[in-house]
Amino acid sequence: MNKYLSLSPEVEQALKEGKPVVALESTIISHGMPYPQNVETALKVEQTIRDNGAVPATIAIIGGKLKAGCTPEEIEYLGKKGQAITKASRRDMPVLIARGQDGATTVTTTMIIAAMAGIKIFATGGIGGVHRGAETTMDISADLEELAQTPVMVICAGAKSILDLGLTLEYLETKGVPVIGYGTEELPAFYTRHSGFKVDYRLDTPEELAAAFQAKIDMGLKGGMLVTNPIPEQYSMPADVINKAIDQAIEESKRQGIHGKETTPFLLAKVKELTGGDSLASNIQLVLNNARLAAKTAAALAK
Ligand code: PSU
Ligand code: MN
């Protein structure tokens, strides 16, 4: 184990005993939701994972340590600091660690640290992908490269249409990342259950997800697996409402010249502002839904 990794006693014990553990990211706390709903949600997600038979490991970089398993105080700290914490992707790790600084982990860095710790399942809301207009901006999330190389299953609610969903699927295909629909043949689009794009495979139970991931591990195929779990119907948003907000947010980001790592947090905040609290409420529910599935899948994998 590398000297920068720091497991909480509970996570360390669970991994030693082969018990199911689920990784959680911290950028969703610092940059993905406003305070205090971000902290409330993060704690509720952890409780949901426990209720479904697994141990939660919220992952973050704190004081130059790669933490797998944050305390409620650390979660409060990340949530309160919000955007003041560095959004940390793969490229940010060396300098942050050498300087002993903090970083909120994206899907990319959460996968990296989960893999270092030996955690195989990770639940979140949405992943980064190929942005609309990427053919000129080249804005493609490092999350896709990480899925191609790091052996962690990421359970999300699909991708938001702030991204180009078609290009995101093409990229994942090129990189050999299986895209699974949980109980669906259609890629869910985060706030809505429908995108019009097909996933690679439909699987219907946590046991089927675990079996596919185990086969990947057994064959020594590098990289992860992307499980897309549709938001429960009763919490999904009307497609026209959310799409209008997303289009407006993208227009605004172009006007303001937003680029690089600021793009995704800017768009997320703008969409939230434009849709009032509705999108936040949906966001919270879909994360809880993914946490439930992740805990059950981790339990199936541990058997
Ligand atoms: N999409 C969401 N919510 C999020 C993110 C993406 O719906 O919180 C965060 C995740 O941490 C993801 C990151 O890994 O944004 C992607 O950022 P970028 O597009 O800059 O790679
Ligand atoms: Mn980007």
Side-chain angles (χ1 to χ4, degrees):
M1 209 183 281
N2 77 59
K3 64 178 180 179
Y4 305 114
L5 189 62
S6 163
L7 306 186
S8 72
E10 188 193 13
V11 168
E12 187 168 13
Q13 180 80 7
L15 288 169
K16 210 183 287 166
E17 293 172 3
K19 292 203 178 124
V21 178
V22 174
L24 299 163
E25 62 157 305
S26 43
T27 293
I28 192 175
I29 304 175
S30 59
H31 291 68
M33 289 183 194
Y35 182 81
Q37 287 95 335
N38 56 358
V39 173
E40 282 162 26
T41 304
L43 297 174
K44 223 184 269 176
V45 168
E46 288 207 340
Q47 189 56 47
T48 302
I49 286 171
R50 292 183 197 287
D51 293 345
N52 287 275
V55 171
T58 296
I59 289 181
I61 301 172
I62 298 181
K65 288 274 180 241
L66 309 173
K67 293 258 179 189
C70 286
T71 62
E73 292 72 32
E74 288 166 335
I75 289 174
E76 171 75 22
Y77 170 76
L78 294 163
K80 214 167 202 171
K81 271 205 136 181
Q83 311 245 355
I85 298 232
T86 303
K87 175 182 159 193
S89 192
R90 177 178 268 273
R91 57 119 185 247
D92 301 289
M93 291 175 76
V95 173
L96 287 179
I97 293 301
R99 287 180 171 165
Q101 291 177 331
D102 300 331
T105 54
T106 62
V107 167
T108 295
T109 32
T110 304
M111 288 179 76
I112 295 171
I113 297 168
M116 284 177 182
I119 303 169
K120 300 194 183 82
I121 309 287
F122 164 19
T124 188
I127 59 156
V130 181
H131 279 267
R132 295 201 212 164
E135 60 276 17
T136 51
T137 63
M138 289 187 62
D139 189 351
I140 299 172
S141 176
D143 292 353
L144 302 183
E145 291 294 328
E146 210 56 52
L147 280 161
Q149 61 177 317
T150 300
V152 172
M153 176 191 284
V154 179
I155 301 185
C156 70
K160 286 198 180 77
S161 42
I162 59 172
L163 302 173
D164 187 316
L165 300 184
L167 292 187
T168 300
L169 288 174
E170 292 291 351
Y171 202 95
L172 289 167
E173 180 192 3
T174 301
K175 292 289 176 175
V177 178
V179 179
I180 310 296
Y182 187 69
T184 179
E185 269 149 40
E186 191 180 350
L187 178 76
F190 200 85
Y191 298 115
T192 61
R193 295 170 62 86
H194 304 289
S195 68
F197 292 97
K198 279 201 168 263
V199 292
D200 303 330
Y201 293 93
R202 169 184 172 157
L203 298 178
D204 292 310
T205 63
E207 290 70 28
E208 285 178 5
L209 295 177
F213 196 59
Q214 189 61 51
K216 191 173 202 292
I217 294 170
D218 291 344
M219 288 185 283
L221 290 179
K222 71 169 187 166
M225 186 174 275
L226 186 65
V227 176
T228 62
N229 186 26
I231 184 171
E233 187 83 59
Q234 69 267 36
Y235 302 116
S236 72
M237 294 188 67
D240 54 334
V241 172
I242 197 68
N243 289 334
K244 198 171 144 225
I246 286 170
D247 288 343
Q248 230 174 304
I250 290 176
E251 272 312 306
E252 185 63 31
S253 77
K254 277 193 204 144
R255 239 190 330 266
Q256 293 191 31
I258 306 289
H259 64 276
K261 69 194 286 190
E262 272 78 50
T263 302
T264 297
F266 178 91
L267 293 175
L268 298 180
K270 204 79 206 166
V271 168
K272 229 157 286 162
E273 186 187 309
L274 291 167
T275 54
D278 289 1
S279 66
L280 181 58
S282 295
N283 200 341
I284 293 169
Q285 290 302 329
L286 66 82
V287 176
L288 293 172
N289 189 48
N290 296 339
R292 271 188 293 273
L293 179 58
K296 288 179 189 161
T297 304
L301 195 64
K303 278 201 186 124

